[in-house]
Amino acid sequence: MADGLSFREAQTALELCLAQLQDQDLDVEKMADLYRRAQTYADRCESVLSQVEQEVMQWDPSQPDSAPTPYTP
């Protein structure tokens, strides 16, 4: 469901789910479904952010035992 979404798409879908969860007239089943969907979108956002973080990490091949460091311009 959320695997192919961009960060922005997943974030927007998450925000929509959260807004719907604030509706006090929701029945329990609908609330549970919205919660699961929101969690899926939140996981997708986290996945995209993690992937981007890995892409901007730098590794110095001349020091193979050193951990990658964040990119600094």
Side-chain angles (χ1 to χ4, degrees):
M1 171 163 81
D3 289 339
L5 297 179
S6 70
F7 177 83
R8 177 63 64 199
E9 292 167 334
Q11 183 182 36
T12 299
L14 174 59
E15 290 170 356
L16 290 171
C17 284
L18 294 176
Q20 290 177 8
L21 280 168
Q22 293 178 9
D23 182 0
Q24 298 196 11
D25 293 331
L26 282 178
D27 59 36
V28 173
E29 292 83 8
K30 178 73 173 172
M31 188 180 298
D33 179 56
L34 280 169
Y35 176 81
R36 283 190 294 273
R37 287 178 34 208
Q39 186 63 51
T40 300
Y41 295 130
D43 290 346
R44 175 61 182 161
C45 288
E46 182 65 32
S47 173
V48 171
L49 289 175
S50 179
Q51 180 182 359
V52 169
E53 180 182 26
Q54 292 301 313
E55 289 174 5
V56 296
M57 296 295 280
Q58 292 182 325
W59 177 70
D60 185 352
S62 67
Q63 298 180 6
D65 294 330
S66 298
T69 57
Y71 172 76
T72 52

